[in-house]
């Protein structure tokens, strides 16, 4: 039987999710919530609409929520859904701050409900193959992503303090953790905004991360540099002991073939689906089977920690460790938590680093 779901947020990306839901027989849409009821009605004519996703789920018999609201609404919308007993598949970023993402980890623990973040760019068969090639390189000296595009979105991105890092680089950071099978340790980052930028915040960034195992991950990107644009996944190069792997973000990656004896292969299953359709299918399968999917909130948080650490490094003009960023976010999460059970769950952690396995 198809899983009945409600969608929260019927903006640009919400409409892409409506198409993905319609195309997947494993899920069935029962209603659309948006603060703007006209937007909800236009997105799904004839279906029940509302401004409160939990009330709409109760009214329509939905058993899960897809949260595609703006980043600052992710925490309140997802918390309300989880605590009402509804599992959530949410758009990236997990929350607008790392502290609120930690609160969502605890809300998931308290409610016993799955909260999976849809890092849509992880669900890409070519990224899985790049990961397998990377494992054959032996030691990795460095990996890099160049990301250069010039989109005019309007809306919330043009008002954010760090639009490139917060809204876009989180995809590349998340993919880097996956490709390198490593976690971030420390970052040095600079962000800036060229005179011609149409963004209020910094649309350019250069960041060097130290990863567990010693590899460096180098991200260089801009959202306001027209000409020779890269793909939305960026241009990748991984430099290893026994060779190099490259990927243009669109076509097949190039690197050591499967029979080259360079290192342990980690081929694993390559998913037959990609993007948000992949995330949706994995979420529905996880609920049906009780398995924990990639993108589960605790697993996703280090990607957001990379964003916040990079921003702090740029603001403070010095390298910043992931550990210090997590410690600060944890203290803020405990102090700022409104819900007593969620606060108690947070207080029960030895530390955020330990809870996330990044000790
Ligand atoms: N994975 C990707 O490639 C990708 C691409 C684009 C956007 N996104 C993400 O999708 C999310 C939405 O982005 P968008 O471009 O659609 O934004 P948008 O501004 O076009 O739409 C967001 C919608 O959410 C609604 N909303 C806000 N608060 C709400 C609440 N509390 N309850 C219900 N509805 C609420 C707004 O009214 C609006 O209609 C963001 O988190 C963004 O980062 C992901």
């Amino acid at each position: 039987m198809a899983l009945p779901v409600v969608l929260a947020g019927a903006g640009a990306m919400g409409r892409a999710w409506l198409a993905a839901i319609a195309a997947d027989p494993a899920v069935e849409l029962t209603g659309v919530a948006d603060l703007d009821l006209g937007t909800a009605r236009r997105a799904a004519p004839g279906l029940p609409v509302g401004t409160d996703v939990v009330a709409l789920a109760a009214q329509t018999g939905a058993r899960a929520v897809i949260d595609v609201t703006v980043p600052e609404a992710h925490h309140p919308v997802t918390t309300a859904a989880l605590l009402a007993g509804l599992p959530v598949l949410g758009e990236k970023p997990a929350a607008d701050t790392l502290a609120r993402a930690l609160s969502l980890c605890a809300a998931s623990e308290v409610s016993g409900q799955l909260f999976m973040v849809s890092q849509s760019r992880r669900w890409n068969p070519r990224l899985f193959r790049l990961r397998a090639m990377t494992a054959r390189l032996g030691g990795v000296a460095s990996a890099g992503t160049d990301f250069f595009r010039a989109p005019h979105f309007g809306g919330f991105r043009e008002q954010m303090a760090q639009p490139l890092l917060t809204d876009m680089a989180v995809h590349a950071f998340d993919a880097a953790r996956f490709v390198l099978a490593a976690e971030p340790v420390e970052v040095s980052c600079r962000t800036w905004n060229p005179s011609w930028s149409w963004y209020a915040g910094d649309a350019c960034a250069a960041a060097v991360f130290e990863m567990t195992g010693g590899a460096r991950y180098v991200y260089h990107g801009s959202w306001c540099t027209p000409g020779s644009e890269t793909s939305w996944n960026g241009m990748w190069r991984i430099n290893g002991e026994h060779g190099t792997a490259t990927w243009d973000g669109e076509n097949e990656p190039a690197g050591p073939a499967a029979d080259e004896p360079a290192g342990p292969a980690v081929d694993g299953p390559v998913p037959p689906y990609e993007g948000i359709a992949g995330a949706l299918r994995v979420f529905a399968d996880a609920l049906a089977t009780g398995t924990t999917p990639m993108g589960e909130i605790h697993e996703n948080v280090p990607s957001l920690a990379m964003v916040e650490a990079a921003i702090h490094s740029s603001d403070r003009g010095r390298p910043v460790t992931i550990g210090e960023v997590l410690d600060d976010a944890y203290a803020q999460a405990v102090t700022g938590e409104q819900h007593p059970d969620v606060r108690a769950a947070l207080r029960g952690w030895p530390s955020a680093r330990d809870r996330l396995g990044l000790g």
Side-chain angles (χ1 to χ4, degrees):
M1 201 186 101
L3 174 73
V5 300
V6 279
L7 180 86
M13 199 61 193
R15 290 191 291 280
W17 276 94
L18 288 174
I21 294 166
D24 192 334
V27 288
E28 180 193 358
L29 186 69
T30 66
V32 174
D34 199 291
L35 294 182
D36 180 343
L37 282 177
T39 298
R41 279 195 197 98
R42 278 191 297 279
L47 269 189
V49 296
T51 53
D52 179 334
V53 71
V54 172
L56 187 65
Q59 179 197 326
T60 62
R63 288 194 284 111
V65 166
I66 317 280
D67 181 358
V68 195
T69 58
V70 291
E72 62 268 28
H74 290 180
H75 180 264
V77 167
T78 293
T79 301
L82 293 172
L83 296 180
L86 296 162
V88 178
L89 175 59
E91 258 300 345
K92 46 58 60 175
D96 58 340
T97 68
L98 187 57
R100 290 192 196 105
L102 295 177
S103 164
L104 290 173
C105 290
S108 174
E109 293 171 13
V110 165
S111 64
Q113 298 300 330
L114 171 65
F115 173 33
M116 174 179 163
V117 180
S118 170
Q119 292 286 169
S120 57
R121 291 174 188 282
R122 230 198 230 208
W123 301 106
N124 182 328
R126 290 162 291 283
L127 189 74
F128 276 65
R129 286 193 270 278
L130 181 67
R131 182 179 197 255
M133 285 173 183
T134 299
R136 293 188 197 100
L137 299 178
V140 171
S142 61
T145 311
D146 283 344
F147 176 89
F148 293 93
R149 298 193 67 92
H152 286 262
F153 296 107
F156 68 87
R157 293 176 186 81
E158 293 188 9
Q159 305 310 319
M160 296 170 106
Q162 291 284 355
L164 180 73
L165 287 180
T166 307
D167 198 61
M168 194 64 222
V170 67
H171 283 297
F173 296 173
D174 183 72
R177 290 173 55 220
F178 179 62
V179 166
L180 296 172
E183 295 295 352
V185 176
E186 184 181 276
V187 62
S188 297
C189 179
R190 290 290 180 275
T191 67
W192 65 99
N193 207 26
S195 60
W196 63 87
S197 171
W198 49 95
Y199 296 84
D202 285 356
C204 297
V208 181
F209 289 89
E210 181 184 338
M211 306 296 286
T212 50
R216 300 301 191 269
Y217 170 65
V218 183
Y219 178 86
H220 183 198
S222 169
W223 240 352
C224 64
T225 43
S228 287
E229 294 191 6
T230 63
S231 71
W232 278 97
N233 288 315
M235 294 279 291
W236 287 72
R237 182 181 171 104
I238 295 124
N239 309 294
E241 190 182 354
H242 301 299
T244 296
T246 58
W247 186 40
D248 67 4
E250 275 175 1
N251 300 297
E252 285 299 322
D259 55 356
E260 287 180 27
V266 290
D267 283 303
V270 173
Y273 33 64
E274 61 184 281
I276 59 174
L280 183 61
R281 175 50 66 96
V282 168
F283 177 68
D285 285 351
L287 291 179
T289 58
T291 49
T292 302
M294 274 202 319
E296 189 276 332
I297 180 64
H298 297 79
E299 189 272 333
N300 179 259
V301 161
S303 300
L304 190 58
M306 290 174 82
V307 171
E308 205 149 299
I311 292 170
H312 286 320
S313 171
S314 184
D315 288 349
R316 296 168 190 174
R318 65 167 174 83
V320 166
T321 66
I322 298 297
E324 68 181 287
V325 166
L326 278 172
D327 288 348
D328 289 352
Y330 178 60
Q332 283 168 35
V334 172
T335 311
E337 185 56 57
Q338 304 290 315
H339 194 286
D341 294 346
V342 177
R343 190 167 52 241
L346 282 167
R347 284 213 169 110
W349 294 1
S351 68
R353 307 181 200 204
D354 286 318
R355 184 64 192 87
L356 300 173
L358 299 175

